[in-house]
Amino acid sequence: MEELVISPVDHDPQGQVKQQQAAGVGILLQIMMLVLSFVLGHVLRRHRFHYLPEASGSLLIGLIVGVLANISDTETSIRTWFNFHEEFFFLFLLPPIIFQSGFSLQPKPFFSNFGAIVTFAIIGTFVASVVTGGLVYLGGSMYLMYKLPFVECLMFGALISATDPVTVLSIFQDVGTDVNLYALVFGESVLNDAMAISLYRTMSLVNRQSSSGEHFLMVVIRFLETFAGSMSAGVGVGFTSALLFKYAGLDTENLQNLECCLFVLFPYFSYMLAEGVGLSGIVSILFTGIVMKRYTFSNLSEASQSFVSSFFHLISSLAETFTFIYMGFDIAMEQHSWSHVGFILFSILFIGVARAVNVFGCAYLVNLFRQENQKIPMKHQKALWYSGLRGAMAFALALQSLHDLPEGHGQIIFTATTTIVVVTVLLIGGSTGKMLEALEVVGDDLDDSMSEGFEESDHRYVPPPFSIGASSDEDTSSSGSRFKMKLKEFHKTTTSFTALDKNFLTPFFTTNSGDGDGDGNGE
């Protein structure tokens, strides 16, 4: 018995030592690339060189190191430490990024444009997914590109509709742009990721089902169940944390460590709870971030407020930078299918068309029910269309498709997605500064605008309070008067929610009386 217990421990000790050395070298290289990325980003920012944003620089570093490792005789055991595992991305890298997105939302610009943001992120992403999938299927049927089954085309449309404007937003902050344009791009990207993941997982479930007669109804019901359930879970965890920190009496000096530890654990609890019951952790942790910033954050002590703000900003920056390095390295190391170049080229064209249908179609819908001084200008619509970069989310879902689809089909989608990611991040991201100058939407002090709220200027449109659009009384006699009356009722509902938040939710969940401005932060 003793020999049986001891023998596995003594098995191949030299191999274990080599694995430990390989792990050490791999982690060392990752740390070196992180340091290089942050230093490069600082130098580029300091010299205001917008042709190579930080995310693009991190991606390039990963690509270069990956190419060098590919052509060298680097040990396989070391190279395996750089493989992009979608489980690692979804469980460890993505949660802090999404939580920070919800946690750092500026309440006034976000909620003043909330109707438009929801329209772009929910309706627009759905439309873009269907248009992309339909065009890819149509292109295959016309023998312009490799033909995939219709449901697989919709899966590709869903994953490639996930935008990642980290590069664009960093340039927006550097050069200064309209506060409402920033809110639209930022808000759409936050909700867009959750929508794209839910759509992809729903389409993947449909692809595994055999009965096609119930496909469309099942897609709609499954998506609504997932999205509503995930949002409810996230909001519930956020409210629970607010009550805990309000009544537990943790905001004392000697309990600061406990207070911070609990606050940091709640977002991951929300994410894992949703994933554990088959919902979307991304949607859940996003709304947990919004609720915790609105209600829980003000219940913390000042020292804890400062710490958690800095902590989540820190790990979010590390996760974003590491993701782009990780992604660049894996793009260089993975096997790609370059035999269907037509699929790649037409896919790039089709996602541009689908993005245009999304942005300009939704903007037309939003402007249809807004007053003249509240309409989204055409130059902002063009900037929003140009901001649809693809990044880590699309790449991770494409990696997932390698397991969800037949080998050849998954490989084609993965190769097309990686090409689109590199093209959009490097080319479009690098030309964003020139695009903003050409559209004449630069020059505003974004940080000041965020902190001071909305002020009218010659080139800044006035956002409506909370709704998709508040139509004037004269408009109610037009052909769309019935729908506009419903929008007015919706506007009254959102205004009532503001009153409910101020008079009931804020006093109940926070130590504030509800008489403040409602920004929901203690910074």
Side-chain angles (χ1 to χ4, degrees):
M1 293 291 293
E2 293 181 357
E3 292 180 358
L4 290 175
V5 174
I6 294 174
S7 58
V9 178
D10 295 334
H11 179 68
D12 196 13
Q14 292 184 349
Q16 292 181 359
V17 172
K18 291 191 66 176
Q19 287 182 354
Q20 291 177 356
Q21 290 177 343
V25 173
I27 294 174
L28 175 63
L29 289 176
Q30 293 175 7
I31 293 174
M32 290 173 60
M33 287 192 290
L34 276 172
V35 172
L36 181 59
S37 295
F38 282 116
V39 172
L40 177 63
H42 171 71
V43 172
L44 294 174
R45 235 184 359 257
R46 186 173 182 179
H47 292 85
R48 302 182 70 84
F49 187 79
H50 302 306
Y51 296 103
L52 186 65
E54 290 180 69
S56 302
S58 301
L59 184 69
L60 271 180
I61 289 174
L63 279 170
I64 293 171
V65 175
V67 170
L68 292 177
N70 224 359
I71 62 178
S72 67
D73 56 350
T74 308
E75 288 191 30
T76 305
S77 56
I78 297 178
R79 293 165 61 180
T80 54
W81 277 88
F82 290 93
N83 289 343
F84 191 103
H85 299 286
E86 59 270 20
E87 296 88 357
F88 179 70
F89 172 76
F90 281 114
L91 293 179
F92 295 101
L93 296 180
L94 190 59
I97 297 175
I98 299 298
F99 178 80
Q100 176 64 14
S101 298
F103 192 72
S104 62
L105 283 178
Q106 296 291 339
K108 288 181 180 179
F110 179 80
F111 286 107
S112 292
N113 290 281
F114 185 72
I117 289 171
V118 169
T119 304
F120 284 115
I122 306 300
I123 299 177
T125 303
F126 179 81
V127 170
S129 300
V130 173
V131 170
T132 303
L135 289 175
V136 170
Y137 182 76
L138 184 62
S141 300
M142 297 174 63
Y143 302 102
L144 297 175
M145 55 197 298
Y146 186 83
K147 184 177 181 180
L148 295 175
F150 183 65
V151 177
E152 293 183 10
C153 292
L154 291 179
M155 290 176 65
F156 176 64
L159 71 87
I160 207 62
S161 296
T163 60
D164 190 0
V166 172
T167 301
V168 175
L169 292 176
S170 66
I171 297 176
F172 278 13
Q173 291 177 324
D174 290 340
V175 303
T177 189
D178 185 87
V179 63
N180 298 299
L181 174 60
Y182 185 92
L184 286 176
V185 175
F186 182 80
E188 187 226 359
S189 68
V190 169
L191 295 177
N192 164 274
D193 284 348
M195 179 72 178
I197 290 178
S198 298
L199 278 175
Y200 175 83
R201 290 181 176 176
T202 304
M203 295 299 177
S204 179
L205 180 63
V206 171
N207 192 47
R208 292 195 296 267
Q209 300 296 323
S210 57
S211 98
S212 57
E214 302 176 352
H215 277 180
F216 181 75
L217 181 61
M218 190 188 72
V219 167
V220 174
I221 294 176
R222 174 63 180 169
F223 171 74
L224 292 177
E225 287 179 349
T226 301
F227 198 88
S230 304
M231 182 177 67
S232 301
V235 172
V237 171
F239 280 142
T240 302
S241 69
L243 290 175
L244 173 65
F245 284 97
K246 179 179 180 180
Y247 293 109
L250 299 174
D251 56 343
T252 57
E253 185 175 353
N254 59 333
L255 293 178
Q256 180 183 339
N257 289 339
L258 175 61
E259 187 181 31
C260 294
C261 289
L262 288 175
F263 192 94
V264 169
L265 289 175
F266 265 101
Y268 266 102
F269 174 78
S270 171
Y271 186 88
M272 297 305 174
L273 173 66
E275 290 291 327
V277 297
L279 299 174
S280 172
I282 300 301
V283 179
S284 180
I285 199 172
L286 169 64
F287 283 95
T288 298
I290 295 174
V291 173
M292 290 186 72
K293 181 59 179 286
R294 177 78 179 125
Y295 300 104
T296 311
F297 187 76
S298 60
N299 294 335
L300 302 177
S301 61
E302 290 187 7
S304 296
Q305 287 182 355
S306 176
F307 171 80
V308 297
S309 295
S310 302
F311 176 78
F312 282 113
H313 180 72
L314 168 66
I315 62 171
S316 175
S317 299
L318 282 171
E320 286 179 354
T321 304
F322 187 71
T323 297
F324 278 97
I325 293 174
Y326 210 33
M327 186 167 57
F329 190 92
D330 201 66
I331 288 174
M333 299 293 293
E334 285 284 345
Q335 296 293 325
H336 296 279
S337 175
W338 299 108
S339 58
H340 302 285
V341 179
F343 187 93
I344 299 173
L345 296 178
F346 278 104
S347 294
I348 295 175
L349 174 63
F350 291 158
I351 65 170
V353 173
R355 179 70 179 171
V357 174
N358 172 1
V359 172
F360 298 114
C362 290
Y364 176 80
L365 177 64
V366 170
N367 286 341
L368 193 62
F369 305 104
R370 281 190 172 185
Q371 296 177 359
E372 192 62 34
N373 65 335
Q374 296 173 344
K375 295 183 183 296
I376 303 175
M378 179 55 67
K379 59 184 179 181
H380 286 186
Q381 297 178 36
K382 293 177 181 178
L384 190 61
W385 172 77
Y386 200 84
S387 303
L389 283 72
R390 271 59 176 179
M393 185 65 68
F395 181 77
L397 290 175
L399 266 181
Q400 184 64 43
S401 72
L402 292 174
H403 307 292
D404 296 338
L405 299 176
E407 183 176 353
H409 295 179
Q411 203 72 37
I412 292 171
I413 288 177
F414 177 73
T415 302
T417 303
T418 55
T419 305
I420 292 169
V421 167
V422 173
V423 169
T424 55
V425 171
L426 295 183
L427 297 185
I428 297 179
S431 59
T432 299
K434 288 296 183 182
M435 178 271 296
L436 293 176
E437 293 177 2
L439 294 176
E440 299 179 348
V441 291
V442 299
D444 292 338
D445 193 339
L446 185 60
D447 293 331
D448 291 344
S449 301
M450 286 290 191
S451 60
E452 295 173 3
F454 293 103
E455 298 177 1
E456 295 187 42
S457 68
D458 293 336
H459 57 286
R460 180 179 297 157
Y461 68 92
V462 183
F466 287 88
S467 66
I468 293 178
S471 57
S472 61
D473 292 335
E474 297 82 9
D475 291 338
T476 57
S477 60
S478 64
S479 59
S481 60
R482 187 174 302 174
F483 187 44
K484 293 178 180 179
M485 287 297 293
K486 291 183 178 179
L487 284 177
K488 278 190 171 184
E489 294 176 5
F490 174 74
H491 173 58
K492 291 179 181 178
T493 303
T494 53
T495 305
S496 300
F497 175 76
T498 306
L500 174 67
D501 174 58
K502 181 179 180 180
N503 297 326
F504 296 99
L505 294 180
T506 298
F508 182 75
F509 288 105
T510 73
T511 54
N512 299 333
S513 62
D515 298 330
D517 60 1
D519 284 353
N521 62 50
E523 295 173 304

